[in-house]
Amino acid sequence: MRYELYYWPSIQGRGEYVRLALEEAGADYRDVAREGGGMAAMNQLLESGDTPPFAPPFLKAGSLVIGQVANILLYLGPRHGLAPKSEAGRLWLHQLQLTIADLVVEIHDTHHPLGVTLYYEDQRTAAKKRTEEFWTERVPKFLGYFEKLLGDGNYLSGRRVSYVDLSLFQIVDGLRYAFPQRMKRFERKVPRLVALHDRVAARPNIAAYLASPRRIAFNEDGIFRHYKALDR
Amino acid sequence: MRYELYYWPSIQGRGEYVRLALEEAGADYRDVAREGGGMAAMNQLLESGDTPPFAPPFLKAGSLVIGQVANILLYLGPRHGLAPKSEAGRLWLHQLQLTIADLVVEIHDTHHPLGVTLYYEDQRTAAKKRTEEFWTERVPKFLGYFEKLLGDGNYLSGRRVSYVDLSLFQIVDGLRYAFPQRMKRFERKVPRLVALHDRVAARPNIAAYLASPRRIAFNEDGIFRHYKALDR
């Protein structure tokens, strides 16, 4: 089956967690909105059918249209060896992905504390305050949690890579892009997470993906945005 | 099996979506942190074991410890007739619950735009701006989405109530508490959602629960907080 991924064509954003899973799995997929006429197709699916998604990303898998990143990964995981088959294992992994989703919201809020529909330029002062709280309180809590879980295994659930490992790679990669100075200082507190990032980046399918034009560059329209004023 | 729910004992908060499902199902459960010594038991589970939750609420079901509201409901739904048995039906319902989870974060951010660890009193001005954006842009988008999905059926997935219907009851109930004036003006735009709220409230198990001391009153420590300055 050829999957169809629908997401904004010019940012990594939330779609990236799905792209990384599809790429690691070597799955056959189209990134529809990046093709000619793809945006129109995406908008049409958002407005039609009995189960329209609230927002991109969503994945078309045969007749299924699946929205919400963690839900898409819940579906893909056991089908592509990126999640355990047991219910207990799948629930645990999904729980971790939902915790990453919470972190992603907080990352986005650092530059948009007053609302997603306002410009960053109109909320700089609030963004500075929120960013300060994020790095003082929230980053240590979230990344410390995953650091503790990592233990001495190669990956979060042991020897086999899972979609959660791929998402944690993206978190570290994104924080490095958005907050290079802050992250440089913080990384010594999460050495296992940093090692996990490197281990994922070195996996053949991921390395090939990152070097390809399929990987969109970080930019200031996505979740991870580099604003110097927030990195001091 | 007797479930054990672990959540902060003095607020509805995120635990309420789980409580409503357990109550509608007539499930056997303990609300552990509300019992003597319960907080110590909750803290111990947060710090121990191979699969510690990131935060409350979490549910102990036999040997499983399940965190994240939507994940708990994903587990409970098909076991208690609150979700379809088919994979497509379960994924769709879960997707809706994750969209509700996104809305809950945004509701919380109205009074805490600069960060969860700072007091509301220290972010009043930012809270007013965020609340304005929330009611102008986000409430119409989120509630409009669910209103459109509701169609003419009794419940979201047809004749049978699901955990998503219970959560939507809580959203309407909470917005009425937090923003009585704004919500009064807005409700005429979402008549089906209001009717759904009333239909859920009238279900025998839910009505009994709401009238019992097990239902904690709304207050200014939870997700839905009534601050007059934000309701104008």
Side-chain angles (χ1 to χ4, degrees):
Chain A
M1 178 172 52
R2 188 170 209 195
Y3 296 113
E4 293 180 2
L5 172 65
Y6 291 82
Y7 193 61
W8 309 114
S10 57
I11 58 171
Q12 292 181 10
R14 287 182 168 83
E16 199 62 14
Y17 304 93
V18 182
R19 289 192 186 107
L20 285 165
L22 292 168
E23 292 282 345
E24 169 60 29
D28 187 16
Y29 78 102
R30 293 169 53 203
D31 203 340
V32 180
R34 294 174 74 183
E35 303 171 356
M39 279 296 291
M42 181 163 96
N43 287 326
Q44 202 191 348
L45 276 170
L46 281 168
E47 295 295 332
S48 64
D50 290 339
T51 58
F54 180 72
F58 54 91
L59 186 79
K60 206 163 176 308
S63 63
L64 281 177
V65 177
I66 309 169
Q68 287 279 356
V69 171
N71 199 35
I72 298 170
L73 296 173
L74 179 73
Y75 172 85
L76 290 175
R79 283 174 172 77
H80 294 281
L82 293 172
K85 298 259 183 213
S86 75
E87 185 185 28
R90 280 186 290 119
L91 286 168
W92 167 240
L93 216 60
H94 187 54
Q95 175 178 333
L96 295 179
Q97 191 66 40
L98 291 173
T99 302
I100 292 172
D102 289 343
L103 171 57
V104 169
V105 172
E106 298 201 20
I107 291 166
H108 183 268
D109 276 2
T110 59
H111 49 77
H112 275 73
L114 301 187
V116 65
T117 62
L118 309 169
Y119 290 110
Y120 163 69
E121 286 69 21
D122 296 328
Q123 47 188 314
R124 285 174 196 261
T125 308
K128 274 193 191 179
K129 284 196 184 164
R130 176 81 189 225
T131 300
E132 204 54 49
E133 196 255 7
F134 176 70
W135 276 96
T136 311
E137 304 284 345
R138 306 303 285 167
V139 171
K141 187 168 162 71
F142 276 102
L143 298 198
Y145 174 72
F146 288 107
E147 177 75 8
K148 198 173 160 191
L149 289 181
L150 269 166
D152 297 321
N154 281 344
Y155 295 109
L156 251 173
S157 12
R159 284 192 204 172
R160 293 195 66 167
V161 73
S162 75
Y163 60 74
V164 166
D165 298 299
L166 305 178
S167 293
L168 287 174
F169 155 82
Q170 176 69 5
I171 293 291
V172 171
D173 221 48
L175 289 176
R176 279 181 178 177
Y177 171 80
F179 305 101
Q181 296 190 48
R182 289 181 185 270
M183 191 58 179
K184 196 174 181 182
R185 289 193 296 272
F186 188 79
E187 283 192 15
R188 60 182 176 77
K189 294 184 183 165
V190 287
R192 290 164 174 167
L193 210 47
V194 170
L196 176 70
H197 167 275
D198 298 349
R199 203 170 293 128
V200 168
R203 293 184 65 85
N205 284 3
I206 297 296
Y209 167 61
L210 296 177
S212 79
R214 297 193 301 285
R215 170 82 163 181
I216 299 164
F218 285 108
N219 62 51
E220 280 54 57
D221 294 317
I223 303 285
F224 297 100
R225 305 189 188 187
H226 178 55
Y227 295 123
K228 279 187 185 167
L230 303 184
D231 189 34
R232 272 171 204 142
Chain B
M1 176 171 56
R2 189 171 208 192
Y3 296 114
E4 294 180 0
L5 172 65
Y6 291 81
Y7 193 62
W8 309 113
S10 57
I11 57 170
Q12 292 180 10
R14 286 180 169 82
E16 198 63 14
Y17 304 93
V18 182
R19 289 192 186 108
L20 286 166
L22 292 168
E23 292 282 346
E24 170 60 29
D28 187 16
Y29 78 102
R30 293 170 52 204
D31 202 340
V32 180
R34 294 174 74 181
E35 302 171 357
M39 278 296 291
M42 181 162 95
N43 287 326
Q44 203 190 348
L45 276 171
L46 281 169
E47 294 296 332
S48 65
D50 290 338
T51 58
F54 180 73
F58 53 92
L59 186 78
K60 207 164 175 305
S63 62
L64 282 178
V65 178
I66 309 168
Q68 287 279 358
V69 170
N71 199 34
I72 298 170
L73 296 174
L74 180 72
Y75 173 86
L76 290 175
R79 282 174 173 78
H80 293 281
L82 293 172
K85 299 259 182 213
S86 75
E87 185 185 29
R90 281 187 288 119
L91 286 168
W92 167 240
L93 216 59
H94 187 54
Q95 175 178 332
L96 295 179
Q97 191 66 39
L98 291 173
T99 302
I100 292 172
D102 289 343
L103 171 57
V104 169
V105 172
E106 297 201 22
I107 291 166
H108 183 267
D109 276 2
T110 58
H111 48 78
H112 275 72
L114 300 187
V116 64
T117 64
L118 307 169
Y119 290 109
Y120 164 68
E121 286 70 20
D122 296 329
Q123 48 188 311
R124 284 174 197 262
T125 309
K128 275 192 192 180
K129 284 195 185 166
R130 177 81 189 223
T131 300
E132 204 53 48
E133 196 254 9
F134 176 70
W135 276 96
T136 310
E137 303 284 344
R138 307 303 285 168
V139 171
K141 187 168 162 68
F142 276 103
L143 298 198
Y145 174 72
F146 288 107
E147 176 75 7
K148 198 173 158 190
L149 289 182
L150 269 166
D152 297 321
N154 281 343
Y155 296 108
L156 250 172
S157 7
R159 285 193 203 170
R160 293 194 66 166
V161 73
S162 76
Y163 61 73
V164 166
D165 298 300
L166 305 177
S167 293
L168 287 174
F169 155 82
Q170 176 69 4
I171 294 291
V172 171
D173 220 49
L175 288 176
R176 281 181 176 176
Y177 171 79
F179 304 101
Q181 295 190 47
R182 289 181 185 270
M183 191 60 179
K184 196 173 181 181
R185 288 194 295 273
F186 187 79
E187 283 192 17
R188 62 182 175 79
K189 294 184 182 165
V190 286
R192 290 164 174 168
L193 210 48
V194 170
L196 176 70
H197 167 277
D198 298 348
R199 204 171 291 130
V200 169
R203 292 184 66 84
N205 284 3
I206 296 296
Y209 167 61
L210 296 177
S212 79
R214 298 192 302 286
R215 171 81 165 182
I216 299 164
F218 284 108
N219 62 52
E220 279 55 58
D221 294 316
I223 303 284
F224 297 100
R225 305 189 187 186
H226 178 55
Y227 295 123
K228 278 187 185 167
L230 302 184
D231 189 35
R232 270 169 208 144

